[in-house]
Amino acid sequence: MPLRWGLAAAVLTPLLVFAVSASRSWDQAWHGAEVEVTRTADAAAEYARRLLEGQVLRLQRANELLAGLSDAEIRAQQTELHRALAGIAAEREPAEQAAFYIFAYDRDGDALVASNLLPVPAPDPVLREREFNQALRGPQAPWVHVSRIYVGRTTRRAYFSVAARRTGAGNGAPPGTYDGVLVASIYLDHARAALSALGAAEGDRVALVRADGVLLALSGDFGSLRPEAMRVAPDSPALAGMAQGLPRIIEARPSATDGVERVAAFRRVGGDWPVYAAAARARPAVVAAWRQAVAPQAVLALGSALLLLLLARVVLRRQAALVATNAALERRVEDRTRDLRERESMLRLAQQAAGAGSWSWEPETGRLQWSEEMFALLGLHHERDAASSTLDGFMATVHPEDRAMLRAAILSGLAEGAMTVEFRVFRRRADGRRDEVWLFCRARLYPAEGGKPARMVGIDIDINERRRAEARFAVATAAMAGFVYEWEVATGRVERTGGADVLLGHAVGLSAEEWLARIHPEDRDRVDAAILALREDPDQHSFAMEYRVARADGGWAWLWDRGQVTRDPSTGAPAWLVGGAVDVTARRIAEERQFLLLREVDHRAKNALAVVKAALRLTPRDDAASFAAAVDGRIDALARAQTLLSETSWSGTPLREMLDGALEAFVSPARARHGQPGMPQVTLEGPAVVLAAAAIQPLAMAVHELATNATKYGALSCPGGRLRVRWRMLPGQQGEGQDQGAQDRLEVEWIESGGPTLAAPPVRRGFGTRVVDGTVRSQLGGRVEWHWAAEGLNAVLSMPARRVLQAETWPWVEPRAAV
């Protein structure tokens, strides 16, 4: 009886081991799904952050475009503003295919102008009640509002919007008063394509969700969803977590969209957006992956249990035979023979189940024997292809690139008594073609004894699927612009994938100390502190940080490093660190550029306000009408200068273009259409140079004052008048302590003729003269010379080239004239 119980335990052991292994595999499969959806959610959150911030930038640019315009002016200029908004929205496709569009609404919720519709729809009560026309009205309105999904009444395309209050409108409302909104909308088919591309596996769902649970975008099709499925379920833990503003949330529960149980990860979008990115994987997909992983184990466990069961039967039969009489000798021989056949059959079945083939080779005689499974492994038949079962015949099936390596492994195995090697062979298919297959070979040399020659016995196993998995893993790590590593803490040994060499150069084989030595000095203390925390805090099992590492070419690469710690169960000390590092240098550079751009915009805005303030301060206030006209003209001059700066992104404007814009209002074709048969003629001549951004507005103001004076009293006041503006560079003399560039000056000469004859120079300086003198002297560091001749005014503006011109425009080119 004890023997039977022991055999039963032996038969059940493989099944129990399989049950434990399957349970662990399930935990690993579920955890792996959580990790993958978390990574997908992180990627989707980064995409959403960039998408939403891009919309905010479009809103800011649209607000700058409409600043100072009343609702009536916007409606009157709807065609021009529509084209300008289309440019801001980057609309390069037909409206039915556009990804973004911009709408402006007045304080009542009626559309003023749009980037994708011309004209805008008539007032619509439905549009007035939409979220983006209601959420920003109150005194506690957020700085920006993300709406729920709508379907365009004209385009019939689904979208959600980012809305912000309109500021600086010309309606006369007090500052801070609600005066309409600007809405930047995102079509869902654009967002759906981007989210679909982020899915880690087929069938994964990626979505954008508002913090209140409202669904914004989904990688799948919205058309099949029920209305109640367009938001996170009210009883979902994720909804409660989003209400608390948690940065990461993971939950596993039936989905509100289709009732399928999914593991889902939620990641809050950075920048205080009330939006989360979510990624989910259905439980059936996790189960399928788990089944695929445990299938070989199940086959092996069942085969082992069957083998043990048969062996147990043999043991029991042999025991019965020993108890029986010795008279049944023939029956015992017959039983033993049958048992041997069964064992051979079982061994063959086990080899077939494992995809393995056995062989033996006598080095002295060259005799090579294959099992039938070995023939099958190579796509051969044991009778038809018996001639192939020689060493040379086998070598003919080996991949040419692996033959030398295999021969070296065989020689090493003969010398050391054992051999383990992986190589490729060509397996013949039924249609005559050949497939490349990876084999794992393990063999042992049995020395000669008892008159028998030495023999090497081995087994070959098909590992093609494992090799393909390794190749897919290598491609995946290369695609993520990073690498995966494994660090044995006790020895400092680190193994990295080949992406480390691609990213940093000569980095795969670096030890832990050598790796730390390549970290940027400014980041080293922070990294050392994180490693020290891992060593001393037994409750810490993961880490994530960003730092710089030196490349082989001397540059620096920003890495996002994240990993998991495995600790020694007896001491709690970290034993292994397994993680991955991704190159985020481009993102870091973009963030730094964005910061510098914001500072530059702030600086330019303050400069523009200072110029407006100076214009108001210098304008006489004796006559309200004259004061309004003067201020209006100067503000127009500043606006034209600001437009030139915007068109060149504040990088400077050609002097000729600035003069064209400043003089256009004084000699436009409209003057001829109002009863004047001729117009004054203006000639501009000088080299093609570029003004520095800081000099454009002051110089435009000075030219405006000169043109205003010429229109009232000089050459521009009559059709036969002539105005000649020419400019040149005057090289200065190098003084002690100064370089040549510091002495160079730009001279602009204003020459009038053909106007009313001047009897004598003015007795006193006019207001315009004082404005020109003050602007050129105080803002540009220059001087003005006034020459009053009978034929007209001749004014010379001389300014330091270093203050008014871009340095890269020197040396000057030959002047050219334009009429």
Side-chain angles (χ1 to χ4, degrees), residues 604-726:
R604 297 305 182 189
K606 291 179 180 177
N607 285 349
L609 292 176
V611 173
V612 172
K613 183 177 179 181
L616 294 175
R617 185 176 67 252
L618 293 174
T619 305
R621 297 172 174 80
D622 300 335
D623 182 1
S626 298
F627 175 79
V631 169
D632 184 64
R634 293 184 179 110
I635 295 299
D636 284 344
L638 290 175
R640 287 189 294 270
Q642 182 73 19
T643 300
L644 291 174
L645 288 171
S646 299
E647 291 175 349
T648 58
S649 301
W650 288 83
S651 61
T653 299
L655 175 58
R656 185 180 301 276
E657 291 187 17
M658 188 278 292
L659 291 171
D660 284 338
L663 297 175
E664 180 182 3
F666 298 93
V667 289
S668 66
R671 295 171 55 87
R673 291 198 298 268
H674 287 78
Q676 299 184 18
M679 295 184 296
Q681 183 175 353
V682 177
T683 302
L684 305 179
E685 61 181 51
V689 296
V690 180
L691 294 173
I696 292 175
Q697 290 178 331
L699 192 55
M701 179 67 74
V703 171
H704 172 79
E705 295 299 332
L706 289 170
T708 300
N709 183 74
T711 302
K712 292 180 178 179
Y713 314 110
L716 301 183
S717 64
C718 57
R722 297 291 185 270
L723 171 61
R724 182 182 183 191
V725 182
R726 64 183 180 184

